[in-house]
């Protein structure tokens, strides 16, 4: 190829780069709040998840920046909003996460199942579990006494009323007898969904959304009888009322939730799509089943230059959401041990342990932010340095797997450490640029306080600039030049 020809190619590439970047600026400058849009269609509402995307957000970028059959990746997929939207738009969705609940949730959301069959199964599960809870109570009691490791047992005893434990064990025992693994996973997720809710679901926790969970002081069973604490109804203190919880019947809650999820199934099994096979692009892409697996965002099990778009959102820099803190409430019922979950917690991006951690050298501005926070609080400074180091490795990995001429949309929440903004969006943009990304634009969106499980309180002091920040997100547009 002569020099002249090569020059022509590079001029074409520059024009193409400019066109995509202009498109990204336009997409990122539009309204990104989506507050009036419905977020509960298809299987999007199968289960609560902290800091979940409104589905319209990944939808906008997937629709505008890819074509049917293209590959769309979320390396920190959480509840799988991006993967599900990719699937609904006929793209090949790829999703990874290290959280076992995220894996179960994202997989189940895109698994086509026969809804009529599921409706029958849910009735059978509830009928048999109810019977077992009545007729085989002694056996269930004995199993409860030997089921757990000591730490797990302490956790379950502290957070679940005894009758709830019996009913949950009866339900999970029925679910575990289902031979079809996909059907079993569907019902496990429905069980998890009635435990992990903003108000602590079937557990004794009053809140599983933003703070460290608090245990109810007064607990009533579904019939209104007090089972923990004493009658404080004559006490007019508001705080006492706030610490009271009325438990619901696990059987009724499970049946309602499972039926609701069945109605949300995105496609029926009769229209079951072909599993994805490498090399099938070009053939009618129609709904290709997504690829979903457990993996670290810093070491993705996919080849380089293979992805057409990334839409993702990492954890907060300040570890504002402790995913495992809420997730363990249901994971213990799905066979996980508290001891193992505690270890797993250290692996999350934004985690606080820095022992034996290998730090990355940071670019100038990011380094200055870390130094400033270190001056205020040495430990917090190290935690932030860990965060930016992990995000540097993650962005490098995203750069590696993206095809040239393609975009990564990264949504980040604002964080404050020792009253200083961590400037997450500016630092990540700077880190991305050192890796080779262009950053055509950073958009901003306001969070809907009523809808989202968020780190900050739901009634923030409106005068507080910091609190206001916690209710904003930035959307960074990264572009890998062609
Ligand atoms: C903000 S949430 C993503 C929410 C998602 N956008 C949604 O719509 O549900 C961040 C996710 O990053 C995951 N995560 C944390 N550390 C990770 C790591 N090292 N590798 C992959 N995922 C990780 C968490 O488990 C969590 O699910």
């Amino acid at each position: 190829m002569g020099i002249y020809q090569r020059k022509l190619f590079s001029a074409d590439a520059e024009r193409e780069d400019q066109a995509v970047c202009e498109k990204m600026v336009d997409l990122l400058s539009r309204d990104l709040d989506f507050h009036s849009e419905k977020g509960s269609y298809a299987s999007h509402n199968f289960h609560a998840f902290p800091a979940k995307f409104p589905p319209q957000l990944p939808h906008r970028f997937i629709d505008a920046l890819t074509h049917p059959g293209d590959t769309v990746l979320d390396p920190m997929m959480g509840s799988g909003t991006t993967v599900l939207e990719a699937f609904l738009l006929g793209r090949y969705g790829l999703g990874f996460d290290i959280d076992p609940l995220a894996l179960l949730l994202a997989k189940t959301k895109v698994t086509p199942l026969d809804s009529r069959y599921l409706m029958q199964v849910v009735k059978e599960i509830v009928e048999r579990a109810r019977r077992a809870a009545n007729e085989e109570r002694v056996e269930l009691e004995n199993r409860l006494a030997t089921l757990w490791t000591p730490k797990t047992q302490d956790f379950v005893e502290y957070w679940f009323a005894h009758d709830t434990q019996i009913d949950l064990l009866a339900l999970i025992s029925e679910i575990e007898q289902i031979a079809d693994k996909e059907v079993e996973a569907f019902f496990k997720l429905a069980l998890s969904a009635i435990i992990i809710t903003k108000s602590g679901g079937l557990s004794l926790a009053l809140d599983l959304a933003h703070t460290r969970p608090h245990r109810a002081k007064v607990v009533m069973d579904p019939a209104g009888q007090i089972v923990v604490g004493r009658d404080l109804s004559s006490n007019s203190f508001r705080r006492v009322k706030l610490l009271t919880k009325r438990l619901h019947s696990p059987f009724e809650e499970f049946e309602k939730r499972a039926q609701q999820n069945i109605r949300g199934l995105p496609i029926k099994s009769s229209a079951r799509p072909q599993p994805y096979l490498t090399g099938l692009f070009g053939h009618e892409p129609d709904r290709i089943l997504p690829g979903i697996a457990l993996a670290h965002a810093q070491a993705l099990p996919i080849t380089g230059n293979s992805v057409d778009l990334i839409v993702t959102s990492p954890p907060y820099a300040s570890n504002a959401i402790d995913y495992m803190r809420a997730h363990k409430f249901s994971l213990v019922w799905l066979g996980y041990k508290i001891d193992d979950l505690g270890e797993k917690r250290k692996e999350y991006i934004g985690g606080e342990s820095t022992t034996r951690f290998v730090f990355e050298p940071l670019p100038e501005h990011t380094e200055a932010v870390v130094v400033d926070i270190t001056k205020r609080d040495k430990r917090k400074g190290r935690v932030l340095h860990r965060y930016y180091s992990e995000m540097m490795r993650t962005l490098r990995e995203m750069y590696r797997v993206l095809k040239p001429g393609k975009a990564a949309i990264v949504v980040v929440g604002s964080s404050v450490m020792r009253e200083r903004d961590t400037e997450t969006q500016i630092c990540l943009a700077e880190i991305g640029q050192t890796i080779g990304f262009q950053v055509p634009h950073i958009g901003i969106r306001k969070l809907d306080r009523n809808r989202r499980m968020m780190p900050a309180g739901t009634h923030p002091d409106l005068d507080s600039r910091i609190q206001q920040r916690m209710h904003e997100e930035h959307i960074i547009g990264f572009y890998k030049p062609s």
Side-chain angles (χ1 to χ4, degrees):
M1 190 191 297
I3 288 176
Y4 178 66
Q5 226 174 348
R6 207 177 309 141
K7 256 199 173 155
L8 251 188
F9 277 143
S10 82
D12 279 351
E14 259 172 45
R15 260 198 301 277
E16 178 61 27
D17 286 349
Q18 200 179 338
V20 181
C21 287
E22 277 168 16
K23 198 168 183 181
M24 288 171 71
V25 175
D26 172 47
L27 294 168
L28 288 161
S29 307
R30 293 190 210 163
D31 174 29
L32 292 155
D33 295 350
F34 306 112
H35 290 181
S36 56
E37 311 259 355
K38 191 170 170 245
S40 57
Y41 58 88
S43 48
H44 279 299
N45 260 12
F46 268 20
H47 195 291
F49 202 88
K52 191 162 137 182
F53 283 151
Q56 291 77 16
L57 191 151
H59 183 106
R60 173 180 297 174
F61 296 99
I62 297 168
D63 188 41
L65 297 172
T66 65
H67 303 286
D70 277 0
T71 299
V72 177
L73 164 72
D74 188 342
M76 294 162 278
M77 70 185 162
S79 68
T81 317
T82 295
V83 179
L84 176 58
E85 278 304 309
F87 175 66
L88 295 173
L89 285 163
R91 273 65 164 175
Y92 175 48
L94 263 179
F96 301 99
D97 205 293
I98 54 166
D99 187 296
L101 188 64
L103 184 80
L104 174 71
L105 174 49
K107 254 199 172 149
T108 306
K109 273 162 88 167
V110 296
T111 300
L113 292 168
D114 183 337
S115 46
R116 259 196 293 176
Y117 171 65
L118 293 184
M119 284 293 187
Q120 278 170 16
V121 179
V122 68
K123 289 239 167 290
E124 276 172 40
I125 294 172
V126 172
E127 228 176 86
R128 291 159 73 127
R130 264 189 205 279
R131 203 178 316 130
N134 280 329
E135 296 170 12
E136 295 155 34
R137 194 173 169 98
V138 176
E139 196 192 308
L140 288 168
E141 300 261 9
N142 290 340
R143 280 184 56 207
L144 270 180
T146 54
L147 195 60
W148 326 95
T149 60
K151 265 195 177 174
T152 315
Q153 172 121 36
D154 289 349
F155 177 84
V156 172
E157 284 294 326
Y158 186 78
W159 288 111
F160 292 90
H162 189 70
D163 285 349
T164 310
Q165 291 181 30
I166 298 278
D167 294 355
L168 284 174
L169 183 60
L171 279 168
I172 192 69
S173 306
E174 288 306 323
I175 294 169
E176 281 173 348
Q177 284 178 40
I178 299 170
D180 183 325
K181 289 291 144 204
E182 289 177 342
V183 175
E184 184 193 12
F186 179 88
F187 287 114
K188 279 183 167 176
L189 187 74
L191 188 79
S192 174
I194 57 171
I195 299 173
I196 301 179
T197 71
K198 262 187 176 181
S199 53
L202 295 172
S203 74
L204 297 178
L206 291 163
D207 180 339
L208 280 183
H210 6 83
T211 56
R212 201 172 276 280
H214 296 92
R215 188 168 176 265
K217 292 268 179 285
V218 184
V219 182
M220 289 185 277
D221 70 10
Q225 295 293 319
I226 291 177
V227 288
V228 175
R230 60 193 174 84
D231 189 358
L232 294 167
S233 52
S234 58
N235 192 327
S236 59
F237 290 123
R238 193 168 163 263
R239 186 167 156 72
V240 169
K241 297 217 170 80
L242 284 175
L243 295 175
T244 301
K245 180 161 181 169
R246 184 168 182 157
L247 293 172
H248 296 284
S249 153
F251 303 120
E252 282 169 23
E253 292 299 297
F254 175 76
E255 189 166 7
K256 261 193 289 179
R257 171 48 90 154
Q259 287 170 344
Q260 184 188 321
N261 284 3
I262 293 168
R263 284 190 288 273
L265 278 168
I267 48 170
K268 313 297 166 223
S269 65
S270 51
R272 196 183 178 91
Q274 289 299 305
Y276 172 73
L277 293 172
T278 323
L280 270 191
F281 291 138
H283 129 114
E284 177 53 55
D286 216 6
R287 304 270 169 82
I288 303 160
L289 280 182
I292 288 170
L294 276 182
H296 271 267
Q298 298 99 307
L300 297 170
I302 44 178
T303 52
N305 301 326
S306 61
V307 168
D308 296 282
L309 173 70
I310 295 173
V311 185
T312 194
S313 160
Y316 283 81
S318 55
N319 194 21
I321 296 176
D322 184 338
Y323 294 89
M324 205 41 101
R325 192 148 69 192
H327 293 180
K328 62 188 178 193
F329 277 75
S330 78
L331 288 174
V332 289
W333 293 101
L334 305 186
Y336 290 85
K337 299 187 185 92
I338 285 292
D339 325 53
D340 299 343
L341 297 176
E343 275 308 298
K344 179 114 206 129
R345 194 165 162 256
K346 297 183 186 150
E347 295 173 33
Y348 289 67
I349 292 176
E352 298 201 328
S353 160
T354 53
T355 330
R356 288 194 298 278
F357 184 80
V358 182
F359 293 97
E360 298 279 345
L362 300 171
E364 200 180 333
H365 183 78
T366 310
E367 171 77 18
V369 173
V370 170
V371 167
D372 196 23
I373 286 173
T374 308
K375 276 189 206 143
R376 296 158 190 244
D377 182 328
K378 205 168 164 201
R379 196 187 67 83
K380 292 257 179 233
R382 279 176 74 78
V383 170
L384 188 63
H385 194 174
R386 168 181 163 171
Y387 178 77
Y388 285 134
S389 299
E390 287 183 299
M391 284 309 298
M392 181 179 277
R393 290 176 203 144
T394 301
L395 284 166
R396 258 191 221 128
E397 196 56 352
M398 284 165 45
Y399 190 88
R400 178 184 72 80
V401 300
L402 263 185
K403 292 178 186 168
K406 303 291 177 186
I409 306 297
V410 179
V411 182
V412 289
S414 304
S415 291
V416 172
M417 284 179 168
R418 291 279 169 255
E419 279 149 36
R420 200 236 195 252
D421 189 338
T422 57
E423 299 182 30
T424 316
Q425 73 284 7
I426 298 170
C427 295
L428 292 188
E430 186 192 29
I431 292 171
Q433 281 163 337
T434 64
I435 290 166
F437 277 118
Q438 292 175 7
V439 181
H441 195 68
I442 301 177
I444 191 161
R445 66 183 294 265
K446 290 242 173 304
L447 300 178
D448 186 346
R449 291 186 197 154
N450 300 323
R451 276 203 203 171
R452 226 166 84 132
M453 287 171 91
M454 290 193 302
T458 43
H459 301 293
D461 168 6
L462 291 178
D463 292 336
S464 156
R465 200 170 51 86
I466 293 171
Q467 282 284 13
Q468 292 280 358
R469 287 272 177 77
M470 294 305 283
H471 294 283
E472 278 173 4
E473 277 181 338
H474 287 92
I475 305 165
I476 316 169
F478 290 102
Y479 179 71
K480 178 174 173 177
S482 48

